[in-house]
Amino acid sequence: MMNLYKMRCNVLSLSKKRKHIRKSVISFPPMSSAHTTTTQDVKSNMVLREQIIDETDLSSDHLTPELQLYLITQSCRLWTSHPQHSPFLDPFWAFYWPGGQAVSRYVLDNSHIVKGKSILDFGSGCGASGLAAKLSEAEQVTFNDIDEVAIEAVLLNGVKNNITVDAVSTANLIGSSCQHHDVVLVGDMLYDTEFADEVLVWLKGIHESGSLVLVGDPGRFALESHPLRASLKCLGKYELPQSTVLENNGHSQAFVWTFR
Protein backbone atom coordinates (compact mmCIF):
# COMPACT_ATOMS: atom_id res chain seq x y z
CA MET A 1 0.00 0.00 0.00
CA MET A 2 1.27 3.45 -0.82
CA ASN A 3 2.15 5.48 2.26
CA LEU A 4 0.33 8.72 2.98
CA TYR A 5 3.50 10.74 2.84
CA LYS A 6 4.28 9.61 -0.71
CA MET A 7 0.67 10.16 -1.76
CA ARG A 8 0.97 13.75 -0.54
CA CYS A 9 4.10 14.26 -2.60
CA ASN A 10 2.34 12.92 -5.69
CA VAL A 11 -0.64 15.23 -5.24
CA LEU A 12 1.31 18.37 -4.38
CA SER A 13 3.62 17.89 -7.34
CA LEU A 14 0.76 18.89 -9.61
CA SER A 15 0.64 22.37 -8.14
CA LYS A 16 4.06 23.19 -6.78
CA LYS A 17 6.22 22.51 -9.81
CA ARG A 18 4.08 24.78 -11.94
CA LYS A 19 5.13 27.63 -9.66
CA HIS A 20 8.56 28.06 -11.17
CA ILE A 21 10.03 31.35 -10.00
CA ARG A 22 13.18 32.77 -11.45
CA LYS A 23 15.64 32.49 -8.61
CA SER A 24 19.42 32.21 -8.67
CA VAL A 25 21.54 31.81 -11.75
CA ILE A 26 23.94 28.93 -12.31
CA SER A 27 26.54 28.98 -9.58
CA PHE A 28 29.29 26.97 -8.02
CA PRO A 29 27.82 24.62 -5.41
CA PRO A 30 28.02 25.63 -1.73
CA MET A 31 30.59 22.89 -1.05
CA SER A 32 32.99 24.45 -3.55
CA SER A 33 35.80 26.61 -2.22
CA ALA A 34 35.07 28.98 -5.12
CA HIS A 35 31.65 29.84 -3.70
CA THR A 36 31.57 32.76 -1.27
CA THR A 37 29.12 32.22 1.58
CA THR A 38 28.36 33.95 4.86
CA THR A 39 28.67 32.22 8.21
CA GLN A 40 24.88 32.08 8.34
CA ASP A 41 24.77 30.39 4.91
CA VAL A 42 27.28 27.77 6.04
CA LYS A 43 25.32 27.02 9.22
CA SER A 44 22.05 26.81 7.30
CA ASN A 45 23.55 24.44 4.73
CA MET A 46 25.05 22.28 7.47
CA VAL A 47 21.69 22.01 9.23
CA LEU A 48 19.98 21.02 5.98
CA ARG A 49 22.57 18.36 5.24
CA GLU A 50 22.30 16.93 8.75
CA GLN A 51 18.51 16.79 8.40
CA ILE A 52 18.75 15.05 5.03
CA ILE A 53 21.14 12.45 6.43
CA ASP A 54 19.01 11.93 9.55
CA GLU A 55 15.69 11.59 7.73
CA THR A 56 16.74 9.39 4.79
CA ASP A 57 18.40 6.07 4.09
CA LEU A 58 21.25 5.40 1.72
CA SER A 59 19.59 3.28 -0.94
CA SER A 60 20.76 1.32 -3.96
CA ASP A 61 17.40 -0.45 -4.42
CA HIS A 62 16.71 1.01 -7.84
CA LEU A 63 17.73 0.69 -11.51
CA THR A 64 21.12 2.28 -10.87
CA PRO A 65 22.70 0.37 -7.95
CA GLU A 66 26.03 1.93 -8.94
CA LEU A 67 24.76 4.99 -7.07
CA GLN A 68 23.98 5.20 -3.37
CA LEU A 69 21.37 7.88 -2.83
CA TYR A 70 19.86 9.57 0.21
CA LEU A 71 16.16 8.67 -0.16
CA ILE A 72 13.07 8.36 1.99
CA THR A 73 12.37 4.62 2.18
CA GLN A 74 9.89 2.48 4.09
CA SER A 75 12.28 2.26 7.02
CA CYS A 76 12.40 6.04 7.44
CA ARG A 77 10.34 7.92 10.01
CA LEU A 78 8.89 10.19 7.33
CA TRP A 79 7.45 7.27 5.40
CA THR A 80 4.51 7.09 7.79
CA SER A 81 4.75 10.42 9.61
CA HIS A 82 2.22 13.18 9.14
CA PRO A 83 3.58 15.80 6.74
CA GLN A 84 3.54 18.48 9.44
CA HIS A 85 6.26 16.54 11.26
CA SER A 86 8.62 16.77 8.31
CA PRO A 87 11.48 19.28 8.36
CA PHE A 88 11.15 19.54 4.56
CA LEU A 89 8.47 21.15 2.43
CA ASP A 90 7.45 18.73 -0.32
CA PRO A 91 10.66 16.67 -0.61
CA PHE A 92 10.30 15.46 -4.20
CA TRP A 93 14.09 15.06 -4.23
CA ALA A 94 13.85 12.30 -1.62
CA PHE A 95 12.16 9.87 -4.03
CA TYR A 96 13.78 8.32 -7.08
CA TRP A 97 10.97 8.63 -9.61
CA PRO A 98 10.59 5.96 -12.35
CA GLY A 99 11.40 8.27 -15.25
CA GLY A 100 14.53 9.48 -13.51
CA GLN A 101 15.64 5.91 -12.93
CA ALA A 102 15.16 5.10 -16.62
CA VAL A 103 17.13 8.11 -17.87
CA SER A 104 19.95 7.41 -15.42
CA ARG A 105 20.13 3.74 -16.41
CA TYR A 106 20.14 4.66 -20.08
CA VAL A 107 23.00 7.13 -19.60
CA LEU A 108 25.08 4.56 -17.70
CA ASP A 109 24.46 1.94 -20.39
CA ASN A 110 25.18 4.37 -23.25
CA SER A 111 28.02 6.47 -21.89
CA HIS A 112 29.10 7.61 -25.36
CA ILE A 113 26.14 10.00 -25.59
CA VAL A 114 27.42 12.12 -22.70
CA LYS A 115 31.17 11.47 -22.66
CA GLY A 116 33.10 14.72 -23.01
CA LYS A 117 29.90 16.79 -23.29
CA SER A 118 28.07 19.51 -21.37
CA ILE A 119 24.95 18.18 -19.66
CA LEU A 120 21.89 19.77 -18.05
CA ASP A 121 19.99 17.68 -15.48
CA PHE A 122 16.66 19.55 -15.51
CA GLY A 123 14.50 19.09 -12.41
CA SER A 124 17.39 17.12 -10.99
CA GLY A 125 15.82 16.10 -7.67
CA CYS A 126 18.30 13.78 -5.96
CA GLY A 127 20.70 14.33 -8.87
CA ALA A 128 20.92 10.71 -10.01
CA SER A 129 20.77 11.42 -13.74
CA GLY A 130 23.46 14.07 -13.60
CA LEU A 131 25.63 11.88 -11.37
CA ALA A 132 25.18 9.03 -13.87
CA ALA A 133 26.41 11.41 -16.57
CA LYS A 134 29.47 12.27 -14.50
CA LEU A 135 30.17 8.57 -14.01
CA SER A 136 29.94 8.28 -17.79
CA GLU A 137 32.68 10.90 -18.19
CA ALA A 138 30.59 13.94 -19.08
CA GLU A 139 32.83 16.99 -19.18
CA GLN A 140 30.47 19.23 -17.22
CA VAL A 141 27.06 18.73 -15.59
CA THR A 142 24.70 21.42 -14.32
CA PHE A 143 22.13 20.21 -11.77
CA ASN A 144 18.98 22.32 -11.92
CA ASP A 145 16.13 22.24 -9.41
CA ILE A 146 14.01 25.08 -8.03
CA ASP A 147 14.14 23.49 -4.55
CA GLU A 148 17.27 24.58 -2.68
CA VAL A 149 16.99 21.52 -0.42
CA ALA A 150 17.22 19.33 -3.52
CA ILE A 151 20.51 21.03 -4.36
CA GLU A 152 21.85 20.14 -0.91
CA ALA A 153 20.76 16.54 -1.51
CA VAL A 154 22.58 16.54 -4.85
CA LEU A 155 25.75 17.74 -3.14
CA LEU A 156 25.48 15.07 -0.46
CA ASN A 157 24.87 12.35 -3.04
CA GLY A 158 27.86 13.58 -5.01
CA VAL A 159 30.11 13.37 -1.97
CA LYS A 160 28.79 9.93 -1.02
CA ASN A 161 29.56 8.60 -4.50
CA ASN A 162 32.90 10.42 -4.84
CA ILE A 163 31.55 12.39 -7.79
CA THR A 164 32.32 16.06 -8.30
CA VAL A 165 29.27 18.32 -8.65
CA ASP A 166 30.33 20.88 -11.24
CA ALA A 167 27.55 23.47 -11.04
CA VAL A 168 24.06 23.91 -9.63
CA SER A 169 21.12 26.16 -10.44
CA THR A 170 17.83 26.97 -8.74
CA ALA A 171 16.63 29.08 -11.69
CA ASN A 172 13.51 28.44 -13.72
CA LEU A 173 15.14 27.47 -17.01
CA ILE A 174 11.93 26.85 -18.95
CA GLY A 175 11.98 29.10 -21.98
CA SER A 176 15.74 29.61 -21.96
CA SER A 177 17.80 28.48 -24.94
CA CYS A 178 20.22 26.14 -23.10
CA GLN A 179 22.31 26.10 -26.28
CA HIS A 180 25.51 25.63 -24.31
CA HIS A 181 24.31 22.19 -23.18
CA ASP A 182 24.91 19.28 -25.56
CA VAL A 183 22.48 16.99 -23.74
CA VAL A 184 19.43 17.76 -21.59
CA LEU A 185 18.22 15.04 -19.19
CA VAL A 186 14.60 15.16 -18.03
CA GLY A 187 13.47 12.52 -15.55
CA ASP A 188 9.75 12.20 -14.74
CA MET A 189 8.78 15.85 -15.09
CA LEU A 190 5.67 15.27 -17.26
CA TYR A 191 3.15 14.49 -14.51
CA ASP A 192 0.57 17.21 -15.20
CA THR A 193 -1.00 18.09 -18.55
CA GLU A 194 -0.56 21.87 -18.29
CA PHE A 195 3.02 21.68 -17.08
CA ALA A 196 3.88 18.90 -19.55
CA ASP A 197 2.75 21.11 -22.42
CA GLU A 198 5.01 23.93 -21.27
CA VAL A 199 8.00 21.61 -20.82
CA LEU A 200 7.57 19.62 -24.04
CA VAL A 201 7.27 22.73 -26.23
CA TRP A 202 10.43 24.10 -24.61
CA LEU A 203 12.29 20.80 -25.01
CA LYS A 204 11.30 20.54 -28.67
CA GLY A 205 12.87 23.95 -29.23
CA ILE A 206 16.07 22.77 -27.53
CA HIS A 207 16.10 19.70 -29.76
CA GLU A 208 15.64 21.85 -32.86
CA SER A 209 18.62 23.96 -31.80
CA GLY A 210 20.82 20.87 -31.99
CA SER A 211 20.95 19.49 -28.44
CA LEU A 212 20.03 15.91 -27.55
CA VAL A 213 17.01 15.69 -25.24
CA LEU A 214 16.38 12.52 -23.20
CA VAL A 215 13.02 12.23 -21.44
CA GLY A 216 12.26 9.54 -18.88
CA ASP A 217 8.62 8.68 -18.17
CA PRO A 218 6.68 5.65 -16.89
CA GLY A 219 3.72 6.20 -19.22
CA ARG A 220 1.92 9.04 -17.49
CA PHE A 221 -1.23 10.41 -19.11
CA ALA A 222 0.27 13.88 -19.52
CA LEU A 223 2.82 12.54 -22.00
CA GLU A 224 0.78 9.78 -23.63
CA SER A 225 -2.07 12.19 -24.45
CA HIS A 226 0.10 15.08 -25.65
CA PRO A 227 0.22 15.95 -29.39
CA LEU A 228 4.04 16.02 -29.26
CA ARG A 229 4.05 12.37 -28.19
CA ALA A 230 4.01 11.53 -31.90
CA SER A 231 7.28 13.46 -32.30
CA LEU A 232 9.09 11.19 -29.85
CA LYS A 233 10.80 7.86 -30.40
CA CYS A 234 11.57 5.33 -27.70
CA LEU A 235 15.22 4.62 -26.98
CA GLY A 236 14.83 2.27 -24.04
CA LYS A 237 12.32 0.40 -21.88
CA TYR A 238 13.06 -0.79 -18.34
CA GLU A 239 11.27 -3.05 -15.88
CA LEU A 240 11.10 -1.26 -12.55
CA PRO A 241 12.10 -2.83 -9.22
CA GLN A 242 9.15 -4.05 -7.18
CA SER A 243 9.72 -1.41 -4.52
CA THR A 244 9.43 1.31 -7.16
CA VAL A 245 6.25 -0.25 -8.59
CA LEU A 246 4.61 -0.21 -5.16
CA GLU A 247 5.60 3.41 -4.58
CA ASN A 248 4.33 4.69 -7.92
CA ASN A 249 0.73 3.68 -8.42
CA GLY A 250 1.63 0.37 -10.03
CA HIS A 251 3.78 1.72 -12.89
CA SER A 252 5.87 -1.35 -13.75
CA GLN A 253 7.94 0.04 -16.61
CA ALA A 254 9.71 3.25 -17.50
CA PHE A 255 10.79 4.53 -20.90
CA VAL A 256 13.41 6.84 -22.35
CA TRP A 257 12.29 9.07 -25.21
CA THR A 258 13.93 11.55 -27.56
CA PHE A 259 12.64 13.73 -30.38
CA ARG A 260 12.69 12.33 -33.91
Side-chain angles (χ1 to χ4, degrees), residues 28 43 47 60 91 98 109 135 224:
F28 290 104
K43 289 182 178 178
V47 169
S60 56
D109 291 343
L135 277 180
E224 295 301 314

Side-chain angles (χ1 to χ4, degrees), residues 41-54:
D41 289 334
V42 172
K43 289 182 178 178
S44 177
N45 291 341
M46 288 178 63
V47 169
L48 272 178
R49 291 167 191 157
E50 288 173 0
Q51 289 176 328
I52 291 170
I53 292 171
D54 289 344

Side-chain angles (χ1 to χ4, degrees), residues 29 31 34 39 82 91 99 127 147 150 165 177 180 183-184 229 236 239 241 256 259:
M31 283 187 176
T39 301
H82 191 281
D147 186 348
V165 173
S177 68
H180 53 293
V183 183
V184 178
R229 168 66 179 76
E239 299 295 326
V256 177
F259 288 94

Side-chain angles (χ1 to χ4, degrees), residues 88-177:
F88 313 115
L89 177 64
D90 306 329
F92 306 106
W93 54 266
F95 301 100
Y96 197 2
W97 305 95
Q101 292 192 38
V103 168
S104 302
R105 184 70 264 161
Y106 185 81
V107 167
L108 288 169
D109 291 343
N110 299 274
S111 59
H112 62 280
I113 64 174
V114 298
K115 185 176 181 179
K117 296 181 179 179
S118 173
I119 314 298
L120 172 64
D121 185 358
F122 171 69
S124 56
C126 67
S129 296
L131 294 174
K134 288 293 291 184
L135 277 180
S136 300
E137 301 184 53
E139 180 177 347
Q140 195 271 353
V141 176
T142 296
F143 297 81
N144 168 248
D145 199 292
I146 61 171
D147 186 348
E148 293 178 358
V149 184
I151 296 301
E152 296 301 327
V154 167
L155 295 168
L156 280 173
N157 286 327
V159 169
K160 185 62 186 178
N161 291 280
N162 297 313
I163 298 172
T164 299
V165 173
D166 300 315
V168 298
S169 167
T170 54
N172 171 18
L173 298 181
I174 297 175
S176 60
S177 68

Side-chain angles (χ1 to χ4, degrees), residues 7 19 22 33 41 66 68 70 73 76 110-111 113 134 159 169 171 182 204 217 219 229 238 243 251:
M7 288 178 66
K19 299 175 183 175
R22 294 200 176 275
S33 59
D41 289 334
E66 298 94 325
Q68 284 192 302
Y70 288 101
T73 69
C76 296
N110 299 274
S111 59
I113 64 174
K134 288 293 291 184
V159 169
S169 167
D182 303 306
K204 189 173 189 297
D217 187 86
R229 168 66 179 76
Y238 299 92
S243 58
H251 287 295

